[in-house]
Each structure stands twice: as structure tokens, then as C-alpha cells.
Amino acid sequence: MIPKITASQIYSTLGNSNSLIPLAMKDIVNSIGLTAGSYITGDETEGRDRFIDEFGTQAIWLFGIPTYKKILDYSLFKTMGYDPKVDVRILKNADIFEKAKKYAPTKEIQKSLEKIGESAKSIKTFKGLTFGRFVASTFLTILSYYGLTKYRHNATEQHIKENYLKKHKQTILSESNSTKSGKINYNISSNYMKPVKSFNGLHNTNDNKPSFTGIQDFMFSPTKNLMIVDGSITAERIFESRNPQDMLGYVIKEGSFWAFMYFLGERIQKHFENKTEQKHGMNIQLDARVIESQELKNALKDTKLKTTLQEFSNLKKDVDIYDFVANPLNKDNIIVKMAKMSDIISVTDKKKPLSSDVDTRAFIDLDEIKGIKEKLGKLYDQFNSYKEKITTKQNTELSLVNDKSKIKIKTDDEILSDFLKNLRKYKRSSILKNIGTCIAALGIVAPGLMIALRFADKNNRKFKVQEEVEKKLAQDLKSGKIKA
């Protein structure tokens, strides 16, 4: 049975900054736009080349690291008796690690944590495995893209050769000295196209040892994992470009991709959130899944919420905050619930996150927990201001008319429903505007700019790869290097 997908689930997914779905949507539209542009400016050969590049890269980009990590989980971690789901960051604070073991939801998880922490050597080994998995999965993903590039270059060149030789078959047969078989040898060495080498010493890395300062930020975020892969893809595409036309196209493509996929998207969302708060007095910074939830409505109705938030503020030390959110006795706390909905706190049962225990193998960003408290507190104050404003307006109207039957007096519950309705509307609107802006830039503007530049120069309209391969083929036919 296919589960019912609601509007709130759609907006929650699109508004989830840790989800790969919004990134995949942007990339698909970008790939479609660029492929269509290649068919428009070039022909079937250029469109085919672009299709392989865009959608082949997309598959590697999205599934490369997760797939290789999964393989390494079983080939490295499992064989050595370690649980690959344990996040190495929980080892940074010894007190928090002890709490993680204390509140482990199952005996199995508790044993897996105890095994890692049984000795300094065990901790060192586990850290080494974690770092090794990250490096290996990233390297293998980059290597996969390198293989795709070589395949695409060779496949495109061979495709051009076959089409060209078929088109000129009669000429070859008439000029060849060996035409008895009537067959043409298409297996020509693929040395026509060589990458543009505009940067000397790019591949000479013997003297440059990598620095891993700050690399942990990229190890545990799905989107930042993709940034590392993208950095390699961008460098590979630009520095392995087959000609200046190829390079210019990639500069535009990669520049727009990085801007709207990783940097401007977050800033655009922040812009709409700030604008909404300034204009409507509503803070829409909470995760879309929280804003769409019944739990938020219950929280804003709770007259004791302010006290609950203040009690949480009294927890000053990180270990105290961790102890609070990991303790099963606090699973009904509104901050804990919202953290679970926002994927800040991982749970053992994904289908029933609010009632599920905290998976203490996972890392909990305590700054994000504090952020939920601040955002919820601000929203609670904004709702009370909104309710007071509506109530004052109704009382003023009532005093002027002096007849309740002529005025629709809203209850507190109706006022809250109106507030949440507007809050969800503004949040959804900000998500759609953000996604729409990025999609328009990646799927229309960037491909349109590439098409415009191609048509602006009549000498740059034809697919240069095809033009150069065919020129070399013509020379080889004339010199007799190609035999029928």
C-alpha cells in the first residue's frame, strides 16, 4: 500500500535543510535545462554528450558516497566488531559519552558504545576507521566520476567518428586501395581530443600535503559531503575541458550551480524569513515539520510554556542539556519533541519519532537545541501579541456596536488557528519562492546564458568537439591513415 503524502509532508521535506531531495530537484532541473540547451545549440551528438555528463554525474553525486560508505560499514566496521552507526563526535566530551551509554535505548547499543570506549586504543581505532571511511568513500566517488568522464569523452568521440565515416563511406570506398570487403574500420585510436591544460602543475600534488583542519564539518553532513565531491567534479570538468568552448560552458554551469545549490539558497531563505517577521510579526525560522505539526499548536496553547522554556534555560552546561534531552523521562518535553521532528535528535523508530527513544549513538548538536528554545519562545510572544491585538480590536468593535449578535467574536482557539494558518502560509511561501528562484536560475537562466553566448558568435555555434574530431578525420582520410 502506497502511503498517503500530505501537503505538510511535501513542504516539510522541501524545507528540510538536511534533506537531499531539494538538492536533487534543483540538479535535475539544471541537468534538463543544460541538456536541452545542448540540443538547441549543437545537435544530437552534443545533446547526447551533455546527457551522459549531467545525469551520469548526478547519479554519482547523489549515491556515490552513501553507497561506498555502506560497503565500508560492512567490510571494515562490522568485521572489526564496531557499530558503524556510532557518531565519533560523541567521544569529544567524556561526560556526554558516559550519558550516551547510560541512556542507550537498548542493551545492544549500550554494548556497542562500551566496546568503543573500553580503552584508549579502541577509541583511537574507531576514530581511524571513521576517518578512513570518509576519505575512502569520497575518493572512490571522485574516482567514479573520473571514470565517467573518460567514458564520456571516448564514447562521444567514437560516436562522432562512426557518424562521420558512415556519411563519407562512398568517398572512402572510392579513394581506398582496399575496398574489396566494403567494410570500414571504426576502431580508431581516440587521441583527437586532449584536455585544455590552462593551469600548470595542477596534477603535481607531490609537494602539497592535504590539510584536514575543519574537515569534521564535512564528514557528517550529507550536503557538505556533496560539496567535497562537487569541488572535485568542478575542478575535473574545468581542467579536463576539451577546448575553450567546453571550458566556458563549465565555468557558467559550475558557477551557477555552486551559487544556487549551496550558498544563495540559504541566504534567499533567510531573506524571506526576515521579511516575513518584519512585515507580519511572525518568526518562521522553525523547521517546516515543526510549523506543520499539531505539537506546535498544543505548545502555543499551553499557558505553562514560558515556565518550561525558562526551566530549560537554567541548564547551563552542555552535559546537563544532553542529560535532559536524552533522558526518556523527558520525551514529552516540547523542545525534545521539536528537536526530534527537526532531525536534531535521532530516534530508534523513524516511523514514530515523538514516542521513540533517543538513539544515543548519534551526535546531538546542542546549539541547535538551544536554537529551538529561542525560536519557540519568540513565536510564543508573537502569538500572544497577535491574540491581544485581535482581542482588543474585537472589544473596540463590540463597544461601538454594543450588540454581540452583530459581531463575530473569535475564541482563543480560533485566533490560534488563524495565527497558525498564516504562519504555515508564510513558511510555505518562503520555501516555494526559494526553490523557485534556485530552479529558475539553474534550469533557465544558466542554460539560457550558455545558449546566448553560443549564438552570439557564429564561429562558436557548432559543437567544437565534433568540429575538431571531424577536421582530424578528414586529414587522416586524405593522408590514407584510415583504411576502409
Side-chain angles (χ1 to χ4, degrees):
M1 182 178 178
I2 300 174
K4 183 180 178 182
I5 299 176
T6 64
S8 63
Q9 287 175 314
I10 294 172
Y11 285 104
S12 295
T13 301
L14 294 178
N16 181 5
S17 59
N18 290 317
S19 174
L20 296 182
I21 292 178
L23 294 179
M25 285 178 58
K26 295 175 188 178
D27 194 35
I28 288 170
V29 173
N30 183 233
S31 296
I32 291 173
L34 292 170
T35 302
S38 294
Y39 275 102
I40 292 170
T41 53
D43 57 11
E44 180 270 339
T45 301
E46 183 176 356
R48 182 178 180 273
D49 180 80
R50 177 68 72 176
F51 179 86
I52 295 172
D53 186 19
E54 293 299 326
F55 289 96
T57 301
Q58 186 179 98
I60 294 170
W61 179 64
L62 288 172
F63 304 113
I65 287 181
T67 300
Y68 287 123
K69 274 187 175 179
K70 188 65 68 176
I71 294 171
L72 292 168
D73 283 348
Y74 286 95
S75 61
L76 287 178
F77 285 81
K78 292 289 186 182
T79 55
M80 296 187 69
Y82 291 107
D83 186 346
K85 291 185 179 180
V86 176
D87 192 314
V88 73
R89 288 174 290 179
I90 67 172
L91 299 170
K92 289 195 298 184
N93 186 313
D95 293 331
I96 287 179
F97 184 55
E98 289 302 314
K99 297 292 183 182
K101 289 188 286 185
K102 176 182 177 181
Y103 293 121
T106 66
K107 287 290 183 183
E108 183 182 358
I109 290 176
Q110 187 177 51
K111 287 180 180 178
S112 70
L113 293 173
E114 288 174 348
K115 176 175 174 56
I116 293 169
E118 64 186 6
S119 67
K121 182 181 178 181
S122 183
I123 291 174
K124 185 178 180 180
T125 299
F126 184 75
K127 287 181 177 179
L129 284 174
T130 301
F131 185 72
R133 177 181 59 185
F134 165 71
V135 173
S137 60
T138 303
F139 175 75
L140 289 170
T141 301
I142 293 169
L143 193 64
S144 297
Y145 175 72
Y146 181 78
L148 173 69
T149 301
K150 293 301 179 184
Y151 164 77
R152 177 173 62 89
H153 287 184
N154 291 334
T156 298
E157 189 174 324
Q158 191 65 23
H159 185 70
I160 294 170
K161 292 173 184 177
E162 289 179 359
N163 287 344
Y164 184 85
L165 294 176
K166 286 176 182 178
K167 183 179 178 181
H168 296 83
K169 181 176 180 180
Q170 292 303 318
T171 302
I172 298 171
L173 291 175
S174 63
E175 295 181 358
S176 175
N177 295 323
S178 54
T179 59
K180 293 179 182 181
S181 66
K183 295 181 180 179
I184 303 170
N185 176 23
Y186 295 140
N187 297 319
I188 311 158
S189 61
S190 55
N191 293 317
Y192 290 113
M193 299 306 303
K194 296 200 179 284
V196 174
K197 299 295 182 184
S198 301
F199 296 82
N200 294 329
L202 172 70
H203 300 288
N204 183 14
T205 57
N206 293 331
D207 298 329
N208 299 314
K209 294 189 177 180
S211 171
F212 299 108
T213 304
I215 199 71
Q216 282 196 21
D217 289 339
F218 292 87
M219 288 175 63
F220 303 101
S221 167
T223 54
K224 288 186 177 180
N225 276 180
L226 295 182
M227 287 179 73
I228 294 178
V229 176
D230 260 329
S232 299
I233 290 175
T234 298
E236 172 85 10
R237 280 175 162 170
I238 292 176
F239 298 134
E240 292 289 329
S241 297
R242 294 164 291 190
N243 51 58
Q245 182 191 75
D246 220 19
M247 177 178 280
L248 178 60
Y250 280 132
V251 168
I252 296 171
K253 184 262 191 295
E254 294 301 313
S256 60
F257 187 90
W258 274 84
F260 287 93
M261 190 66 74
Y262 296 119
F263 300 115
L264 293 182
E266 186 177 345
R267 286 171 172 78
I268 292 169
Q269 183 66 33
K270 193 71 176 176
H271 165 75
F272 289 128
E273 289 174 352
N274 291 337
K275 196 171 182 181
T276 297
E277 187 161 11
Q278 292 169 6
K279 187 175 180 181
H280 303 288
M282 292 185 181
N283 177 17
I284 59 172
Q285 292 180 2
L286 282 167
D287 191 286
R289 290 163 291 185
V290 172
I291 290 177
E292 296 283 345
S293 71
Q294 179 65 32
E295 279 66 31
L296 179 60
K297 183 175 184 178
N298 295 339
L300 295 180
K301 287 171 66 175
D302 187 0
T303 55
K304 296 180 181 179
L305 179 62
K306 207 69 177 176
T307 303
T308 301
L309 296 176
Q310 184 56 51
E311 289 174 351
F312 189 85
S313 296
N314 293 333
L315 302 172
K316 300 300 181 183
K317 295 181 180 179
D318 283 354
V319 66
D320 294 332
I321 297 174
Y322 185 91
D323 183 84
F324 182 87
V325 300
N327 192 329
L329 297 176
N330 296 322
K331 66 168 58 179
D332 291 329
N333 180 273
I334 186 59
I335 297 173
V336 174
K337 283 185 174 182
M338 290 184 174
K340 288 178 178 179
M341 280 187 278
S342 306
D343 288 335
I344 296 170
I345 294 177
S346 294
V347 296
T348 53
D349 187 353
K350 299 292 184 183
K351 294 180 180 179
K352 298 177 181 178
L354 298 185
S355 60
S356 179
D357 290 327
V358 175
D359 187 345
T360 58
R361 293 172 296 181
F363 172 73
I364 299 176
D365 190 330
L366 299 178
D367 287 334
E368 293 282 355
I369 299 286
K370 297 172 190 175
I372 286 181
K373 191 269 295 183
E374 297 297 332
K375 294 168 188 174
L376 182 58
K378 181 184 285 190
L379 193 61
Y380 182 75
D381 291 338
Q382 289 171 343
F383 165 63
N384 282 304
S385 296
Y386 177 86
K387 183 169 70 172
E388 184 179 351
K389 182 179 178 182
I390 296 298
T391 303
T392 302
K393 182 181 178 182
Q394 289 180 159
N395 290 337
T396 301
E397 291 176 350
L398 184 60
S399 64
L400 292 174
V401 177
N402 201 26
D403 186 353
K404 288 186 177 182
S405 63
K406 295 182 179 180
I407 298 176
K408 168 63 177 174
I409 301 296
K410 293 183 178 181
T411 63
D412 287 351
D413 198 55
E414 288 173 329
I415 293 173
L416 176 56
S417 295
D418 288 344
F419 180 82
L420 289 174
K421 182 180 178 181
N422 288 328
L423 189 72
R424 290 165 185 160
K425 180 180 72 174
Y426 297 138
K427 183 67 173 183
R428 292 180 178 188
S429 176
S430 71
I431 292 170
L432 290 178
K433 288 176 182 176
N434 184 10
I435 294 287
T437 301
C438 293
I439 283 177
L442 293 170
I444 299 174
V445 177
L449 177 60
M450 292 169 69
I451 292 171
L453 290 174
R454 287 280 290 275
F455 278 106
D457 184 358
K458 65 180 181 180
N459 296 320
N460 194 38
R461 292 180 188 177
K462 189 174 180 179
F463 186 30
K464 288 296 181 185
V465 172
Q466 182 173 351
E467 195 175 61
E468 292 174 23
V469 170
E470 289 180 350
K471 183 179 178 180
K472 186 68 171 65
L473 281 168
Q475 292 173 353
D476 287 349
L477 285 173
K478 190 174 182 180
S479 65
K481 288 183 180 179
I482 300 177
K483 301 295 184 182

